[in-house]
Amino acid sequence: MLDVHASRTASSLQTGAAAGRWTIGDARKIYNLPFNDLLFRAQSVHRAHFDPNAIQMSRLLSIKTGGCAEDCGYCSQSAHYPTGLKASKLMEVERVVAEAQKAKDGGATRYCMGAAWRSPKERDMETIVAMVEGVKALGMETCMTLGMLTPTQSERLANAGLDYYNHNIDTSERFYSEVITTRTFADRLETLANVREAGIKVCAGGILGMGEAIDDRISMLVTLANLPAAPESVPINMLIPIPGSKLADQPPVDPIDFVRTIALARILMPQSHVRLSAGRTEMSDEMQAFCFFAGANSIFVGEMLLTADNPGEDHDSALFRRLGLKPMALQAVQPEPAE
Ligand code: SF4
């Protein structure tokens, strides 16, 4: 049997219905289950909370590209590395709303807008608020990723109708300073708390393949699962090594390890949308299918992420057809069963 907290029963582990704190030991034991047992458990948890054949589809737009003051070792947009990316200014509101309309026409239900900032400047907040209001008026869910936020900025975005704020914790607390030195893991958690306090839903995940140990991946997921409320969205990215960046020479992630991490995310955070994010271009269709089986139920659609390639709609539609998957309608999360 699994060595879990006394308060958590074996059946609650299977359904993920128990609230509580996970330990690294609990999570490691689940991660190391025989692959078939792990996937069976993850799929069982998934089915208890979601339509197993529905995938939430988001679209991402870079509203301000490059020239970022932060030194994230994985990022093409950091001004600290010679990645060759051309920086651009904050986009105009009209253009952002027009792009969101196109995304909606293409089936996306959530529009994610990302700016390469350490944190937004006060002078940009008015434009940002107008973008949220404009996209919201199209009937789409809105998400932004703008770097660190103060409580006041979080409240302003909440009042504008922002649904989600993305702020990844990237990796474990232990490994964090190996990847980023211009801010701390605690800074990340502080912004997540500010966003949550303002009533905005949280999107927070991380990246695999930066040289971290398996235990760092497990620790990252335990941190997310143990937040006062788990993030509603958990993006799991696979590093795309960027030439010129600090992590340009990292070897690829083992696909089985990646699928195990997705399964663990699903089991630890049963009600969250687990998103297959950057790196899908490097995954085979079979690997993606395993990820969906392990509980991933969200993807980014379109040819591009912020600055990285994405499979594109034709390829995704073909894969969805082959797997019998369908786009998830808005608000399709099933409520937690009463105990
Ligand atoms: S990940 Fe974000 S904060 Fe880090 S360098 Fe890139 S744009 Fe800046």
Side-chain angles (χ1 to χ4, degrees), residues 252-263:
V253 179
D254 177 86
I256 300 293
D257 289 346
F258 191 92
V259 175
R260 281 185 179 276
T261 309
I262 295 282

Side-chain angles (χ1 to χ4, degrees), residues 11 13 17 46 53 69 88 107 124 128 147 163 165 174 187 204 219 273 312:
S11 77
L13 260 182
H46 190 50
N53 300 307
S88 67
D124 295 316
I128 292 295
D163 295 295
Y165 195 74
R174 184 199 75 84
D187 290 333
S219 168
H273 287 81

Side-chain angles (χ1 to χ4, degrees), residues 68-72 74-78 115-118 183 188:
C68 184
E70 302 281 55
D71 71 349
C72 309
Y74 50 82
C75 185
S76 62
Q77 305 200 66
S78 169
W117 284 326
R118 174 175 165 81
R183 57 168 191 265
R188 269 342 231 189

Side-chain angles (χ1 to χ4, degrees), residues 9-330:
T9 63
S11 77
S12 71
L13 260 182
Q14 282 178 336
T15 63
R21 303 280 129 198
W22 294 93
T23 66
I24 299 277
D26 297 343
R28 194 188 290 126
K29 281 179 178 154
I30 296 171
Y31 181 93
N32 286 322
L33 282 170
F35 193 65
N36 287 344
D37 291 344
L38 175 64
L39 258 58
F40 178 74
R41 178 167 291 179
Q43 176 65 199
S44 304
V45 168
H46 190 50
R47 280 170 185 264
H49 296 88
F50 289 98
D51 177 341
N53 300 307
I55 304 291
Q56 188 267 329
M57 305 207 301
S58 299
R59 185 105 187 200
L60 187 55
L61 176 72
S62 179
I63 57 172
K64 187 264 166 192
T65 306
C68 184
E70 302 281 55
D71 71 349
C72 309
Y74 50 82
C75 185
S76 62
Q77 305 200 66
S78 169
H80 294 256
Y81 307 112
T83 63
L85 189 78
K86 198 165 165 283
S88 67
K89 286 203 267 195
L90 184 60
M91 260 187 200
E92 283 162 13
V93 176
E94 296 69 28
R95 191 161 153 226
V96 171
V97 175
E99 291 294 329
Q101 178 68 57
K102 277 195 235 163
K104 186 184 179 192
D105 296 343
T109 53
R110 188 181 306 169
Y111 204 60
C112 306
M113 295 159 269
W117 284 326
R118 174 175 165 81
S119 54
K121 304 250 179 342
E122 271 321 296
R123 63 167 184 264
D124 295 316
M125 285 303 289
E126 205 173 310
T127 311
I128 292 295
V129 162
M131 286 177 188
V132 174
E133 289 170 345
V135 175
K136 193 82 185 147
L138 301 176
M140 298 182 85
E141 287 184 316
T142 50
C143 177
M144 284 203 150
T145 181
L146 313 169
M148 291 183 274
L149 290 186
T150 63
T152 312
Q153 288 172 326
S154 308
E155 242 172 72
R156 223 167 139 196
L157 291 172
N159 291 339
L162 185 68
D163 295 295
Y164 286 84
Y165 195 74
N166 165 262
H167 202 61
N168 290 336
I169 62 167
D170 297 320
T171 186
S172 68
E173 182 169 16
R174 184 199 75 84
F175 194 66
Y176 200 78
S177 60
E178 300 286 321
V179 181
I180 301 140
T181 66
T182 48
R183 57 168 191 265
T184 64
F185 195 74
D187 290 333
R188 269 342 231 189
L189 296 181
E190 193 179 320
T191 290
L192 289 178
N194 292 342
V195 165
R196 184 60 90 188
E197 181 65 27
I200 300 170
K201 295 191 196 97
V202 168
C203 171
I207 306 173
L208 311 194
M210 302 191 293
E212 74 285 350
I214 299 281
D215 249 15
D216 291 309
R217 298 173 188 171
I218 295 171
S219 168
M220 174 183 83
L221 294 180
V222 166
T223 298
L224 293 170
N226 285 348
L227 288 172
E232 281 80 3
S233 280
V234 181
I236 306 291
N237 298 275
M238 193 167 78
L239 180 76
I240 301 177
I242 307 287
S245 72
K246 182 174 166 187
L247 300 176
D249 299 320
Q250 284 301 316
V253 179
D254 177 86
I256 300 293
D257 289 346
F258 191 92
V259 175
R260 281 185 179 276
T261 309
I262 295 282
L264 183 62
R266 168 51 64 224
I267 293 166
L268 299 192
M269 292 170 276
Q271 299 192 75
S272 305
H273 287 81
V274 176
R275 179 177 305 133
L276 272 191
S277 295
R280 279 204 303 127
T281 45
E282 306 308 310
M283 297 178 195
S284 67
D285 287 353
E286 294 79 2
M287 180 177 167
Q288 291 188 61
F290 262 122
C291 289
F292 294 135
F293 188 72
N297 62 345
S298 173
I299 58 167
F300 280 120
V301 288
E303 308 287 337
M304 289 292 286
L305 299 179
L306 285 175
T307 61
D309 290 342
N310 204 40
E313 263 136 58
D314 290 350
H315 191 98
D316 283 338
S317 304
L319 182 60
F320 272 37
R321 260 196 313 279
R322 289 166 70 204
L323 299 177
L325 296 174
K326 60 184 182 228
M328 186 185 288
L330 277 179

